[in-house]
Amino acid sequence: MGKGFFISKAVGIAAIIVGAGALATIIALSVVYSQEKAKNNDNVLPTDGGTTSKPPVTTTAPSNEPWDKYRLPKSLVPDHYNVTLWPRLKQNLTTGLFIFTGQSTVEFVCAEETDLILIHSNKLNYTKRENNHLASLTSLGGVKAPSIKSSWLQQVTQYLVLQLDGKLMKDHRYHLHTDFTGELADDLGGFYRSEYMEDGVKKVVATTQMQPTDARKAFPCFDEPAMKAIFHITLIHDLGTVALSNGHDVQKTVFQPTEKMSTYLLAFIVSDFSFINNTIDGVLIRIFARTPAIAAGQGDYALNKTGPILKFFEKYYNSSYPLPKSDQIALPDFNAGAMENWGLITYRETALLYDETFSSNSNKQRIATIIAHELAHMWFGNLVTLRWWNDLWLNEGFASYVEYLGAHEAEPEWNVKDLIVLSDVHRVFAVDALASSHPLSSKEEDIQKPAQISELFDAISYSKGASVLRMLSDFLTEKVFTMGLRTYLAEFAFGNAGYTDLWSHLQMAVDATGTDIPETVSNIMNTWVLQMGFPVVTVNTSTGIISQKHFLLDPDSEVTTPSIYKCVDGLSYFPPLRTINLYVFIISGSDWVLANINVVGYYRVNYDQGNWERLLGVLSTNHVAIPVINRAQLVDDAFNLARAKIISTVLALRTTKYLNKEREYMPWESAVGNLDFFYLMFDRSEVYGPMQDYLRNQVTPLFTHYKSLTDNWKNVPVGHMDQYNQVNAISLACRTGLRECQNLTNQWFNQWMETKLNPIHPNLRSTVYCNAIAAGGAKEWEFAWSQFKNASIAIEADKLRYALACTKQPWLLNRYLEYTLDPNMIRKQDATSTIVYIANNVIGQSLAWDFVRARWSYIFTQYGGGSFSFSNLVNGVTERFSTEYELQQLKQFKEDNAEVGFGSGTLAVDQSIERTIANIKWIAENKQNVLDWFKAEEKP
Ligand code: BES
Ligand code: ZN
C-alpha cells in the first residue's frame, strides 16, 4: 500500500546554498586527477592516486561475458547507499579542470549465489583500496566476505567489475566501498557544472541530470529503474555566503534518507542561489534560482502555481504528496526542459522563471504546463516507476496528458486542455504517419544501450502516449480512469510496474463500476500500443459505410517494422470501429456529417466528396456551426489526406478559403502549420509569389481585426487564445509581405534601437524581432546580439536567439552558425536548437546543412548528452529537403557517419530520408496544380 500523508521521514534530496571558496586540497586532488587523465588519455580509466600500477581496462567488442551485457544480472539487489560527494566549484588553474570526489558504500542483498559483482560506473576514477583493487567488500552478519580476485572498469557497458574468489551467499548482505573522482564537466549529464555571470563575477553551480543512465557518472550504482534503494546523501561544500567565500571552511550537509527510489531520480546541487518558499498543508515548497532572478520576483509565478497544482494531483491520484518538501530550481545550463527528480525538480531557466515585462503568454503557459508535467511524475514515474525503459512511453505519455489537467487547474480561463490537439495529436500524427515510425511499446530486449534508451524520448512516447491515454480516459470516463489509476498507484507505491499492470487496474475499475465496454481494456489498448501508426477512418455518407486503413503519408512506402497486428484494412487494426458510438462521434447537421468530435480519437477522418463539399459549404457560410477544435482538425486532416494522395491538394487548399472569416486561434494555427509545409516546399520556386498573394489576402482581415481590437496595437487582447492568434496575425501578415505589418514591426524595432526602451509587448517580441532582423542588416543584427548577451532573463535571450536566425544575410548566418559551437557565445544547451532555427530560414537552410555535415562528429561527441536534441537537429536541418540531389546528400551523410553514429538521432535520419522521398514525389505531383490554384484565386 502506498504510504500516505503522515510520512515523517524527510527526503534526502535538496539544494544547498553555499558560497564559493578555494581549498588547497582541491588543487592537490585535481592535479593528481588530471595527471592521471593525461596519462590515460581517457577519463574513464581507473586511478590509484598515482601510487600503483593500473588495473586492466577492457574496451573490446562485446562477448558473452556478463560484463559485456548491458543489463545487470539479477543476482544482487541494492538496499541502501551512503554516498558522500564533494564537488569543487573552483577550477584547478594548472589543469583547467573542475572535479568532484566521492565515497560510497552500498549495501546489497545477494538474491542468487554469485562470484561476480557488476555495478554501473562511467567516467569515474577509483582510488585503490585493499590489495590494489578498485573497491572493497565486507559482509554483514558474521560471515566473511569473499576476497576480490580482480577488478576493472568495463568501458563499453559502463561497469565496475569485481571478480571474487568465492561466492556471495544467497540472502546475505554485503557492503561495497569505493573512493572515486570524477570530472565536473560542462556536459549537461551526470554530476556536471553550470556557469553564469553575476555582477561581473563568474559563478559555478554543481548540479545533476541522471535520467536516463547518468547516475553512474556521479557514483557507482545499480543504475536501472527497478533497482530501487534508499539513498543517504552527504554533500561537502563551502560554507557561508559570497562574502565569506575566501574562507577555508567547509561544511557537510547530511540529508535525511530518501524514500525507496530509482537512481535516475536522484539530484545533488551546490550553488549560491536564493529561494522563496511557502508551505501548503505541511509540504514545504521552494523555488530556487540565481539571486538576482529571485530578487526580481521571477520565481513568484512558479511558487504561486505549484501549491494548487500539487493539490490537484493529490486529488486526482487520491494520494498525498509522498515527500515533505518540493524544491524546484532553475539552472542556467540544462539540457532538457525540466527533470522530475523526486523532491528536487530541475528546470531550464526559461521553463520556470516568469517576468511580466519579458514573458509572453506562451512562456507562461509553458511554465504552468511543465510544472504540472513534472509534478505529475512525482507519483506517476517516481512513486510508481516503470520496470524498464521500454515502457518509457507510459511514463512520459501519461505526464504529457495530465500536464494539461494540472495546467487547467492553475489557469482555468485558458482552455488549455484543447491545445493537446495541436501540440500533441497533430504533432505526432506527422511522424506516426511514416513507415519508419514505431509502436509505443518496445520489447524489453530491444532497449539495452544508453543510446537506445535516449532514443525513446521522442514524439511517439510523449505525444502519442498522451493522445491515446486521453482517448482512453475519455472513453472509460474520467471517473473510471482515475479509479483504476488510484488503485494502480496504491498497489505499486515505492515499487515498479509495467503498462499491463495499469490496464489490469483500469479493467478492475471497469468491472467494479459495471462500465459497458465491448472488449477488455487490454485488447482495446493493444491495438494502439503494440502497432505503429494510426488509421484514417472514411465515412462514406452516400453508402453509409465506414471503413478504415493504416494512414501512411507516402502510400507507396513499405512498412517493415514488425508489429503483432498487421496494419491492414478492416476491423482487425481498429477494434473500436466495432464500437463506433464510443469512438466516432457524429454530429449531423442538416446535411453534413462530422466525425471525431474534439479529436478525442487518435485517427484522421476522410469523407466522400459530397460530404467534403457540404463541410466546405458550412465553413464558408456558417463556420461556427462546426466546433472550433474540429475546424482545426478539418484543415489538418485535409492537408494530410492530400499529402497521402487520398484527397486532392486542391480540396485541402479550399479548406483555407473560409479563413478570411475565421478569428479563432486553433483553426488558424492548424492552417499555419500546414501552410508551413507549402512554404518549405515552395519558397524556392515560382509558386511562392502567387501563394504569398493568396495568403496575404486571407490574413489581412485577421490583421485588421486585431488592429482594431487592440486599438491600433496599444492594448493586449484579453483571452489567452486571442493573444496567441494576434501573434499569428502579425507573423503571417508580415511573412506574406503586408506593408502595414512590416512597417509596424520595423518601426517598433527601430524605436527600441534608438531609445533603448523596448516598446514591444512580450507576446509579440519573437515575431517582431524576427521580422525586423529579416528586413534589416548588420546593424539590426548586432543590436539584437548585444541585447541577447546582456539579457537579464533567459526568456528574453531566447526570443532574441530565435530572431537572430531570421536575417537574410548569408555572412551573418554563417557567423551565427560558428557561434553555435562556441559555448562562450551560445550555451551548449541551446546549440542544436539554434542551428535548427537557422535551417528554418530559407537562406540559412543550405548553410546549416553544410555546417552540420561538416561538423557532425564534433557535434556528436561534444553535444551528445542524451535527450531530444539530436533527433530535432536531424529533422530540423533536413525539413525542406525535396530534391533528388538533397536525397543523395542525405543518404551520403548517413553512410559517411555510420561509424560515428547518430545516437538519439538514429531514427530521425531514416525519418528524414523517408520524408524527403515523399516530398520529392509530392512536388512532382502537385506543383502545377497548386500554382494554378493560387493564381486562379488571385483573380478577382
Ligand atoms: N523526464 C523528462 C526529462 C528528460 C527528457 C530527461 C529526456 C532525460 C531525457 C521530463 O519529465 C520531461 O518530460 N520534460 C519535458 C517537459 C515536458 C513538459 C514535455 C522537457 O524537458 O521538455
Ligand atoms: Zn516527463
Side-chain angles (χ1 to χ4, degrees):
M1 286 302 290
K3 286 194 201 165
F5 193 57
F6 299 105
I7 300 166
S8 59
K9 240 196 276 174
V11 68
I13 306 181
I16 55 175
I17 318 285
V18 298
L23 289 163
T25 47
I26 297 178
I27 300 168
L29 272 161
S30 55
V31 169
V32 167
Y33 175 76
S34 60
Q35 282 167 348
E36 201 56 36
K37 191 172 153 151
K39 256 195 291 177
N40 297 329
N41 198 21
D42 189 324
N43 64 357
V44 300
L45 299 178
T47 180
D48 55 10
T51 53
T52 55
S53 63
K54 274 185 276 167
V57 174
T58 313
T59 51
T60 47
S63 66
N64 222 8
E65 301 290 356
W67 48 81
D68 291 320
K69 301 199 169 91
Y70 284 88
R71 293 296 302 273
L72 287 167
K74 307 238 176 293
S75 44
L76 308 178
V77 179
D79 181 85
H80 65 266
Y81 296 75
N82 276 299
V83 182
T84 300
L85 291 167
W86 185 4
R88 315 301 157 84
L89 304 189
K90 287 270 180 219
Q91 183 177 27
N92 178 306
L93 296 176
T94 328
T95 63
L97 285 176
F98 289 81
I99 62 154
F100 63 91
T101 51
Q103 286 118 36
S104 167
T105 298
V106 51
E107 179 171 322
F108 59 84
V109 183
C110 173
E112 290 161 16
E113 260 192 10
T114 178
D115 56 6
L116 178 71
I117 297 176
L118 292 182
I119 186 166
H120 285 110
S121 172
N122 187 19
K123 303 196 176 173
L124 295 175
N125 282 5
Y126 289 83
T127 306
K128 285 196 176 167
R129 300 176 69 95
E130 289 150 36
N131 302 325
N132 267 346
H133 288 301
L134 302 182
S136 57
L137 184 70
T138 51
S139 85
L140 279 82
V143 288
K144 195 173 166 302
S147 314
I148 298 173
K149 205 162 65 181
S150 64
S151 62
W152 72 93
L153 293 168
Q154 190 72 19
Q155 281 179 302
V156 178
T157 44
Q158 305 177 342
Y159 288 124
L160 164 60
V161 186
L162 305 167
Q163 278 184 319
L164 309 175
D165 70 353
K167 298 259 189 213
L168 298 174
M169 286 185 324
K170 187 166 161 28
D171 297 331
H172 279 248
R173 289 176 174 254
Y174 300 87
H175 278 177
L176 182 74
H177 313 272
T178 49
D179 290 300
F180 51 90
T181 307
E183 186 182 346
L184 198 65
D186 62 348
D187 57 359
L188 308 169
F191 204 12
Y192 72 94
R193 74 173 195 280
S194 171
E195 297 179 349
Y196 62 98
M197 298 297 287
E198 196 174 292
D199 301 329
V201 177
K202 188 158 110 183
K203 301 245 170 149
V204 177
V205 180
T207 184
T208 53
Q209 170 58 44
M210 308 305 202
Q211 195 186 24
T213 57
D214 276 339
R216 61 190 72 168
K217 256 180 95 204
F219 65 100
C221 55
F222 297 92
D223 198 10
E224 294 193 356
M227 293 287 190
K228 287 196 174 187
I230 289 170
F231 296 84
H232 302 250
I233 305 290
T234 301
L235 289 180
I236 299 180
H237 57 93
D238 295 354
L239 179 71
T241 63
V242 182
L244 298 173
S245 68
N246 291 332
H248 290 269
D249 285 338
V250 288
Q251 93 179 32
K252 255 188 192 182
T253 299
V254 181
F255 296 97
Q256 288 179 328
T258 65
E259 295 294 345
K260 197 171 171 208
M261 64 182 284
S262 306
T263 47
Y264 81 88
L265 293 167
L266 289 167
F268 331 117
I269 301 175
V270 177
S271 74
D272 69 353
F273 283 4
S274 303
F275 69 93
I276 44 175
N277 67 294
N278 63 27
T279 303
I280 183 150
D281 291 340
V283 177
L284 174 65
I285 297 171
R286 295 187 293 188
I287 306 291
F288 287 82
R290 289 178 293 106
T291 302
I294 290 294
Q298 293 169 3
D300 296 359
Y301 181 72
L303 185 65
N304 292 339
K305 295 301 174 189
T306 298
I309 297 175
L310 208 62
K311 287 279 117 187
F312 167 78
F313 282 122
E314 288 191 329
K315 258 195 285 151
Y316 187 75
Y317 293 130
N318 190 32
S319 166
S320 302
Y321 177 68
L323 309 177
K325 64 112 181 174
S326 168
D327 284 336
Q328 297 177 93
I329 184 164
L331 295 158
D333 298 282
F334 190 77
N335 208 3
M339 173 66 211
E340 70 268 25
N341 313 300
W342 216 6
L344 174 49
I345 307 175
T346 42
Y347 292 83
R348 273 191 179 219
E349 290 196 348
T350 50
L352 192 68
L353 303 181
Y354 174 81
D355 190 318
E356 193 92 44
T357 46
F358 293 105
S359 307
S360 64
N361 66 319
S362 154
N363 298 144
K364 196 177 198 177
Q365 185 190 315
R366 174 156 162 85
I367 293 168
T369 44
I370 205 161
I371 290 175
H373 178 107
E374 305 310 337
L375 290 179
H377 276 312
M378 299 298 114
W379 291 260
F380 203 100
N382 299 7
L383 180 65
V384 177
T385 309
L386 276 328
R387 256 188 293 278
W388 182 243
W389 297 109
N390 60 318
D391 277 350
L392 178 85
W393 72 270
L394 184 61
N395 193 25
E396 292 303 350
F398 186 88
S400 297
Y401 165 50
V402 299
E403 71 184 42
Y404 290 95
L405 312 187
H408 175 69
E409 189 71 14
E411 299 285 358
E413 308 286 301
W414 284 356
N415 283 336
V416 70
K417 288 200 257 182
D418 294 351
L419 295 178
I420 192 171
V421 171
L422 297 176
S423 311
D424 291 287
V425 186
H426 286 177
R427 167 183 180 232
V428 71
F429 271 172
V431 282
D432 205 19
L434 299 175
S436 53
S437 187
H438 61 89
L440 275 170
S441 180
S442 312
K443 291 205 196 82
E444 182 167 348
E445 59 271 25
D446 290 343
I447 306 300
Q448 304 255 344
K449 301 178 187 178
Q452 292 170 326
I453 298 168
S454 291
E455 218 183 316
L456 292 174
F457 290 84
D458 68 356
I460 299 290
S461 294
Y462 276 79
S463 294
K464 182 174 185 175
S467 305
V468 302
L469 290 168
R470 167 172 173 262
M471 175 168 72
L472 178 60
S473 175
D474 185 82
F475 111 92
L476 292 180
T477 72
E478 188 168 300
K479 179 175 155 234
V480 174
F481 185 77
T482 49
M483 186 188 270
L485 177 65
R486 288 165 182 180
T487 57
Y488 163 86
L489 289 176
E491 178 175 343
F492 297 102
F494 303 99
N496 295 79
Y499 75 88
T500 52
D501 295 313
L502 180 60
W503 298 167
S504 309
H505 278 266
L506 293 173
Q507 188 63 47
M508 287 189 252
V510 164
D511 298 342
T513 51
T515 306
D516 183 25
I517 56 168
E519 297 251 0
T520 60
V521 171
S522 165
N523 279 352
I524 291 173
M525 291 313 287
N526 278 350
T527 64
W528 301 102
V529 168
L530 299 180
Q531 57 186 350
M532 68 173 202
F534 57 91
V536 46
V537 172
T538 301
V539 179
N540 188 328
T541 60
S542 59
T543 61
I545 292 175
I546 298 180
S547 58
Q548 51 124 12
K549 65 174 182 180
H550 182 190
F551 179 80
L552 281 169
L553 203 57
D554 177 357
D556 307 326
S557 58
E558 213 182 312
V559 179
T560 51
T561 309
S563 61
I564 292 181
Y565 295 80
K566 281 275 173 290
C567 300
V568 290
D569 289 7
L571 301 183
S572 61
Y573 181 65
F574 188 43
L577 265 193
R578 278 176 253 150
T579 60
I580 205 136
N581 53 329
L582 287 173
Y583 280 93
V584 182
F585 299 82
I586 298 181
I587 295 182
S588 235
S590 49
D591 56 356
W592 47 273
V593 166
L594 181 69
N596 202 3
I597 293 306
N598 292 335
V599 197
V600 174
Y602 187 69
Y603 55 86
R604 293 198 180 281
V605 185
N606 183 26
Y607 305 95
D608 56 296
Q609 185 70 23
N611 195 61
W612 271 116
E613 292 297 339
R614 291 190 290 277
L615 286 168
L616 289 176
V618 191
L619 285 178
S620 72
T621 53
N622 182 26
H623 63 273
V624 290
I626 295 174
V628 180
I629 301 183
N630 284 88
R631 303 208 293 274
Q633 184 225 5
L634 281 173
V635 174
D636 196 66
D637 278 349
F639 273 91
N640 284 281
L641 292 168
R643 281 177 68 182
K645 290 195 256 181
I646 295 172
I647 65 171
S648 75
T649 302
V650 163
L651 178 56
L653 283 167
R654 287 171 63 204
T655 63
T656 67
K657 284 202 65 172
Y658 91 102
L659 288 174
N660 51 13
K661 288 194 254 84
E662 181 63 271
R663 299 289 175 266
E664 293 284 347
Y665 166 67
M666 290 191 60
W668 265 110
E669 184 61 22
S670 173
V672 167
N674 283 292
L675 291 165
D676 257 344
F677 173 70
F678 278 61
Y679 272 107
L680 290 171
M681 294 303 103
F682 294 133
D683 61 6
R684 298 175 289 180
S685 84
E686 72 266 32
V687 180
Y688 183 69
M691 176 167 84
Q692 287 282 81
D693 293 340
Y694 169 72
L695 294 176
R696 188 170 54 252
N697 280 339
Q698 293 302 88
V699 78
T700 300
L702 192 70
F703 183 81
T704 316
H705 166 73
Y706 279 105
K707 184 180 167 186
S708 69
L709 190 76
T710 60
D711 191 11
N712 205 13
W713 314 109
K714 284 199 281 293
N715 305 324
V716 183
V718 178
H720 185 62
M721 300 286 182
D722 266 346
Q723 294 181 21
Y724 277 146
N725 213 23
Q726 183 193 16
V727 178
N728 275 338
I730 294 180
S731 300
L732 195 59
C734 281
R735 182 181 205 174
T736 54
L738 187 71
R739 265 268 164 275
E740 187 183 347
C741 181
Q742 293 175 336
N743 292 342
L744 183 72
T745 57
N746 290 343
Q747 178 213 320
W748 275 336
F749 196 81
N750 284 335
Q751 192 183 329
W752 184 26
M753 286 205 297
E754 278 156 27
T755 63
K756 302 288 179 292
L757 290 173
N758 191 338
I760 309 157
H761 188 274
N763 287 353
L764 309 180
R765 285 188 182 176
S766 291
T767 186
V768 171
Y769 295 173
C770 175
N771 280 293
I773 289 170
K779 187 170 134 230
E780 285 73 13
W781 201 93
E782 297 297 351
F783 174 76
W785 175 258
S786 72
Q787 293 294 328
F788 166 73
K789 286 311 263 182
N790 295 327
S792 63
I793 177 162
I795 245 161
E796 175 69 9
D798 259 20
K799 295 182 173 78
L800 289 156
R801 185 168 61 81
Y802 157 76
L804 285 162
C806 298
T807 177
K808 301 287 178 216
Q809 311 285 329
W811 71 277
L812 288 174
L813 289 168
N814 264 333
R815 194 179 62 176
Y816 196 26
L817 278 168
E818 295 294 336
Y819 289 179
T820 61
L821 298 186
D822 178 352
N824 295 317
M825 298 293 206
I826 301 283
R827 286 183 185 275
K828 276 190 165 186
Q829 60 170 8
D830 296 324
T832 53
S833 67
T834 309
I835 298 172
V836 172
Y837 291 152
I838 297 172
N840 279 340
N841 177 340
V842 60
I843 315 278
Q845 155 69 56
S846 56
L847 308 177
W849 170 236
D850 289 347
F851 182 80
V852 169
R853 277 194 297 169
R855 315 285 174 93
W856 181 257
S857 81
Y858 181 80
I859 297 175
F860 188 72
T861 47
Q862 297 298 308
Y863 291 77
S867 85
F868 328 102
S869 60
F870 274 138
S871 55
N872 289 346
L873 180 64
V874 172
N875 282 323
V877 294
T878 60
E879 225 187 344
R880 207 180 250 99
F881 280 12
S882 50
T883 65
E884 275 301 334
Y885 181 60
E886 286 162 334
L887 178 63
Q888 288 322 316
Q889 286 187 340
L890 188 49
K891 287 182 172 165
Q892 191 66 46
F893 172 66
K894 181 177 172 180
E895 218 180 286
D896 292 348
N897 293 291
E899 218 151 85
V900 178
F902 300 93
S904 56
T906 308
L907 188 62
V909 176
D910 290 329
Q911 286 170 339
S912 300
I913 291 177
E914 189 182 345
R915 227 186 17 242
T916 307
I917 295 171
N919 289 348
I920 294 171
K921 281 198 241 166
W922 186 85
I923 290 191
E925 285 161 21
N926 288 285
K927 189 167 164 185
Q928 197 55 46
N929 285 345
V930 170
L931 180 62
D932 293 345
W933 191 82
F934 282 130
K935 279 187 171 162
E937 286 301 314
E938 266 177 90
K939 302 218 175 75

